Amino acid sequence: MAATHRDVKANGVRLRVAMSGEGPPVVLLHGLFMDKRTWDAAGTLLSKDFHVVAPDFPGFGDSEKPPIERFSYDVAAFAEVVADLYAGLDLGRAAVVGHGLGGAVAITLAARHPELVSRLVLVDALCFDEKLDLRRRVALLPVVGGFVLKQLWNRATFRAVFRSTTSRGRSGLSLEQVDRYYDSFNGPSSRGSALATLRATVDTRNVAALTARIAAPTLVVWGRADRLLPAGLGQRLSRQIRGAGFELMDTGHAPHEERPDEFAGIVSRFLRSERPA
């Protein structure tokens, strides 16, 4: 994404934010083990018509990685950081697009700060409890889990985690894309932040309960072959949010990376459409 980058303090945490384009503002929120670069391709396309804002969450990418004593790394804490980022950038109201963990943050933001969210796009969003794979279950174990994620998750393990969430065949993230995320993850403070986030976001019942409070026009976009959060969860989410639309794409867990042109077209049409009756 041809973007300018700024450091912005939000709730006392330094965030690195990429911004590009002019027009109505759109905030893009990334998923767990990713960062703002996940939006590079789709964000570039959206920036032709919108002012695109893509922050790194605390603990990820180029943002500050505070210890857990300063930041709790749960969904509510991320949502409050994003709300404060609005003020720091003088955004006013903006559309919000959230993927995975970013989807849970977007739901929370829209429910708790409806004055900030004009429209909502939820992409393979973390919302309902789902069975964890073996690697994630091990990472969540007390003491042992911290050692495993901080010391034993090497590049091959990281690739395997991503491979287990995407579809087989030509769809899915390339090794180059996954390795970029590993290089960002592969540091003591980054691993600590990822572990804290993983542990703090296992229970999603609070997020699911907030869906009833969403008033913004909403579109749910899901990958048909998502093996981390199956497409049935997306259909369930779209039924739970009043008036929400649903789009199923032939991708895995990251439609915006796997098919950015198609994804940007779907989002752009929704953001420009009339509000549903």
Side-chain angles (χ1 to χ4, degrees):
M1 180 161 48
T4 59
H5 293 79
R6 283 181 56 184
D7 284 343
V8 180
K9 272 287 184 74
N11 272 16
V13 180
R14 179 189 58 79
L15 302 184
R16 180 66 56 84
V17 184
M19 296 178 290
S20 61
E22 297 181 354
V26 179
V27 178
L28 307 178
L29 303 178
H30 66 79
L32 182 62
F33 298 120
M34 294 177 167
D35 55 48
K36 63 181 178 298
R37 293 174 297 178
T38 191
W39 302 109
D40 280 357
T44 296
L45 295 166
L46 289 170
S47 68
K48 296 176 182 178
D49 299 304
F50 303 95
H51 174 51
V52 173
V53 177
D56 284 330
F57 282 139
F60 296 86
D62 297 316
S63 286
E64 183 182 354
K65 298 165 180 63
I68 195 167
E69 293 79 16
R70 280 186 52 214
F71 188 79
S72 62
Y73 290 98
D74 58 19
V75 172
F78 286 124
E80 291 308 310
V81 163
V82 175
D84 203 41
L85 177 65
Y86 269 69
L89 295 176
D90 195 24
L91 287 179
R93 296 190 85 208
V96 179
V97 182
H99 169 244
L101 169 64
V105 175
I107 288 169
T108 305
L109 184 72
R112 294 187 173 178
H113 299 279
E115 74 283 359
L116 298 180
V117 181
S118 59
R119 286 184 177 247
L120 186 63
V121 180
L122 303 173
V123 187
D124 295 69
L126 179 66
C127 182
F128 304 113
D129 289 337
E130 185 63 13
K131 183 179 179 181
L132 299 174
D133 62 29
L134 177 61
R135 293 181 187 87
R136 288 172 182 255
R137 292 201 302 272
V138 170
L140 291 172
L141 292 173
V143 183
V144 173
F147 175 77
V148 169
L149 191 138
K150 292 181 179 180
Q151 303 294 331
L152 301 184
W153 270 36
N154 57 21
R155 191 177 299 274
T157 303
F158 196 84
R159 286 176 173 178
V161 169
F162 269 82
R163 190 163 53 246
S164 70
T165 68
T166 60
S167 56
R168 299 184 185 277
R170 64 186 181 87
S171 186
L173 276 64
S174 69
L175 285 181
E176 180 182 2
Q177 290 168 303
V178 175
D179 283 347
R180 291 191 307 168
Y181 297 135
Y182 177 78
D183 292 338
S184 180
F185 161 83
N186 190 27
S189 59
S190 297
R191 287 175 180 252
S193 296
L195 177 62
T197 304
L198 188 61
R199 286 177 167 170
T201 58
V202 170
D203 188 346
T204 59
R205 286 175 293 181
N206 288 340
V207 177
L210 289 172
T211 57
R213 293 169 52 183
I214 293 175
T218 301
L219 176 66
V220 177
V221 180
W222 222 269
R224 186 189 307 274
D226 187 340
R227 292 187 282 170
L228 177 64
L229 300 172
L233 296 179
Q235 294 172 319
R236 178 182 170 189
L237 179 59
S238 67
R239 290 193 299 267
Q240 196 156 310
I241 298 174
R242 185 174 64 253
F246 182 68
E247 289 275 355
L248 195 61
M249 294 179 59
D250 288 324
T251 68
H253 182 61
H256 57 290
E257 288 206 54
E258 298 172 45
R259 294 194 175 184
D261 289 26
E262 181 184 352
F263 175 83
I266 289 170
V267 172
S268 183
R269 286 191 296 273
F270 170 69
L271 296 184
R272 292 187 171 281
S273 65
E274 295 295 325
R275 183 185 176 109

